[in-house]
Amino acid sequence: MLNKINNTVKKIQVPGIRVFANQVVQYKDGINFTIGEPDFSTPESVKRAGIEAIKSNLTGYSHNAGLVELRKSVSDFFRDKYNFYYHPEDEVVITNGASEGIDSLLRTILSVGDEVILPAPIYSGYEPSIELSGAKVVYLDTTETNFIPDPEQLERLINEKTKAVIFNYPSNPTGMTLSKEQMDSIVAVLSKHDIFVISDEIYSENTFESEHISFASYPELRNKLFLVHGVSKSHAMTGWRIGFVLGQDELMKQVLKVHLNNSICASLPSQFAAMEALTNSRVTPEIMNEAYMERRDYVYDRLVGMGFTMSKPSGAFYMFPSIHFLGLTSFDFATQLLEQEHVAVVPGSAFTTHGEGYVRISYANSMENIVEGMNRIERFITK
Ligand SMILES: Cc1ncc(COP(=O)(O)O)c(C=O)c1O
């Protein structure tokens, strides 16, 4: 019966991010630099809030858009921290992680034949939903512009088929963030066109040194912007599966229909935990960031010392060094490094063809593993 399966589904590849993570477990001394989640535990008070909800039998369905109290916490969080406002009643939907939010959102807006622009290299979680909707991905190559989208190039790619542009800053996989000036010139292009802007800012709380600037803080984008977010990365809550989508009320009504038909609602105990995270545990990301910054500096210095080239990342917990000087494909680099030194990294090609010639190294790992992993990478490349 395999021939009866949807052809687009058959063509979807298992994400390249997972391939090497699955293989490294066979080595007892393996070091895994493919990890896309914080290596911290969920804060104690957040865990307690989830446990209390279960004990109190708060284990049923919630409103389809999520508990109104949680939606209020989400709305307050962005108002307090970033000074923009989305109404908790009708402009916030709580989803099963950012992933479900992205999928529901893309299926809400896309029709067959539409085009979606992705600055690439980029996270691999958008493309399958775009293609399953019958739409087409158009890449905006950022490799010549230090992984920052060039506004003129963006302008050239927009045509009558363009339905949306997706941004993800701080970026997975590059760790790059956008400055105010860079955002201003991108927003100037976006505001001229009737296209949706989807900004996945799931790593916003992991921004180092500078302040994160949200696309949602631009009033001129208010009627076309969807903000995708969640507590997975900010509060080490990947397994709780809580994300959120924010947007203008009339658009969110449409998103809600898709969300409620695929999920009914997000897990209720997890919603209570997320509420605690966003109200009483706002300091958690800062604590994690101190550790991330120390590791980032160490990894950066070591890699540059070995001859890799890259800009120092300013957010998320990834490095995306160029491996061009080694003359290997990113897949061969990752395969040989794994086989010879038992260190797993993600080939850049997992983040679109524009990621070829790079590898992603996640430093969401202990300093001890990082030091040992860097020693092994050094040994590998000097061979
Ligand atoms: C850019 C980006 N967006 C979304 C997600 C998915 O987040 P969630 O676990 O909340 O579904 C990830 C996970 O790695 C990610 O890197």
Side-chain angles (χ1 to χ4, degrees):
M1 292 299 281
L2 190 58
N3 62 337
K4 302 275 187 197
I5 298 281
N6 177 325
N7 277 329
T8 311
V9 173
K10 277 196 276 184
K11 278 192 223 135
I12 294 173
Q13 305 281 326
V14 174
I17 299 178
R18 294 245 57 90
V19 176
F20 289 85
N22 294 345
Q23 287 177 15
V24 72
V25 290
Q26 65 182 302
Y27 301 109
K28 260 212 209 114
D29 65 342
I31 294 181
N32 189 358
F33 287 150
T34 74
I35 301 169
E37 60 184 338
D39 59 316
F40 297 90
S41 306
T42 303
E44 287 305 316
S45 70
V46 174
K47 287 192 228 170
R48 272 198 306 276
I51 293 167
E52 279 312 312
I54 294 170
K55 282 192 188 155
S56 311
N57 293 317
L58 294 165
T59 52
Y61 295 132
S62 70
H63 186 292
N64 297 122
L67 282 173
V68 72
E69 297 87 342
L70 172 57
R71 284 182 270 144
K72 186 162 185 321
S73 308
V74 170
S75 172
D76 289 350
F77 175 81
F78 289 113
R79 186 201 53 206
D80 298 348
K81 182 132 195 226
Y82 297 107
N83 204 22
F84 59 79
Y85 185 72
Y86 282 87
H87 205 285
E89 289 287 344
D90 47 17
E91 295 193 313
V92 181
V93 171
I94 308 299
T95 56
N96 289 285
S99 305
E100 187 260 310
I102 291 164
D103 186 60
S104 292
L105 185 49
L106 288 169
R107 288 190 302 122
T108 304
I109 63 172
L110 295 178
S111 305
V112 175
D114 287 345
E115 291 184 359
V116 180
I117 298 174
L118 301 184
I122 194 166
Y123 173 60
S124 58
Y126 312 114
E127 203 159 324
S129 301
I130 296 169
E131 288 177 350
L132 282 169
S133 305
K136 192 177 141 223
V137 170
V138 174
Y139 296 126
L140 192 171
D141 181 4
T142 62
T143 53
E144 300 294 317
T145 50
N146 204 20
F147 303 126
I148 304 298
D150 171 40
E152 285 171 22
Q153 211 184 330
L154 173 64
E155 180 79 72
R156 282 197 296 275
L157 291 178
I158 296 173
N159 62 48
E160 69 286 352
K161 288 191 191 150
T162 308
K163 185 56 83 64
V165 189
I166 302 182
F167 296 97
N168 167 229
Y169 294 94
S171 156
N172 174 9
T174 67
M176 299 305 280
T177 57
L178 299 179
S179 70
K180 172 90 172 58
E181 294 69 36
Q182 287 160 343
M183 290 192 70
D184 285 352
S185 38
I186 293 168
V187 170
V189 175
L190 296 170
S191 53
K192 281 195 286 183
H193 299 276
D194 280 338
I195 56 175
F196 291 114
V197 179
I198 299 174
S199 186
D200 175 353
E201 301 182 15
I202 191 129
Y203 293 99
S204 68
E205 302 317 289
N206 305 114
T207 303
F208 315 133
E209 286 112 14
S210 58
E211 284 291 303
H212 171 74
I213 305 162
S214 174
F215 277 99
S217 59
Y218 287 84
E220 58 269 53
L221 297 184
R222 187 70 165 80
N223 68 346
K224 56 177 77 169
L225 180 90
F226 292 105
L227 177 64
V228 176
H229 217 291
V231 287
S232 296
K233 318 285 174 171
S234 61
H235 287 79
M237 291 179 71
T238 45
W240 297 78
R241 310 307 304 134
I242 295 293
F244 10 100
V245 179
L246 295 84
Q248 201 194 35
D249 53 359
E250 59 185 13
L251 302 177
M252 290 309 292
K253 260 192 213 125
Q254 307 302 320
V255 176
L256 182 58
K257 287 193 272 183
V258 178
H259 161 75
L260 78 86
N261 278 298
N262 70 31
S263 305
I264 300 183
C265 66
S267 151
L268 188 54
S270 296
Q271 292 192 52
F272 281 97
M275 209 150 75
E276 171 67 21
L278 292 174
T279 48
N280 299 320
S281 196
R282 287 189 183 181
V283 69
T284 299
E286 279 169 43
I287 299 166
M288 296 199 277
N289 286 348
E290 293 213 353
Y292 289 147
M293 277 194 275
E294 189 193 338
R295 298 166 190 180
R296 173 202 59 173
D297 292 346
Y298 178 82
V299 175
Y300 178 79
D301 289 346
R302 288 292 306 267
L303 292 174
V304 169
M306 293 177 215
F308 290 94
T309 47
M310 83 199 96
S311 296
K312 199 176 206 173
S314 38
F317 35 72
Y318 307 110
M319 293 264 166
F320 204 60
S322 164
I323 57 160
H324 288 102
F325 73 109
L326 293 168
L328 288 172
T329 65
S330 60
F331 186 83
D332 287 346
F333 177 97
T335 306
Q336 292 178 24
L337 179 66
L338 182 68
E339 286 172 2
Q340 293 175 29
E341 296 291 345
H342 305 173
V343 174
V345 297
V346 184
S349 54
F351 305 97
T352 77
T353 48
H354 296 284
E356 184 49 53
Y358 302 85
V359 291
R360 191 191 76 174
I361 297 175
S362 160
Y363 49 88
N365 210 321
S366 69
M367 202 60 190
E368 193 189 345
N369 280 344
I370 288 172
V371 172
E372 175 59 20
M374 287 301 125
N375 291 344
R376 292 191 203 175
I377 291 177
E378 185 154 31
R379 194 162 61 202
F380 171 73
I381 66 158
T382 44
K383 264 187 219 160

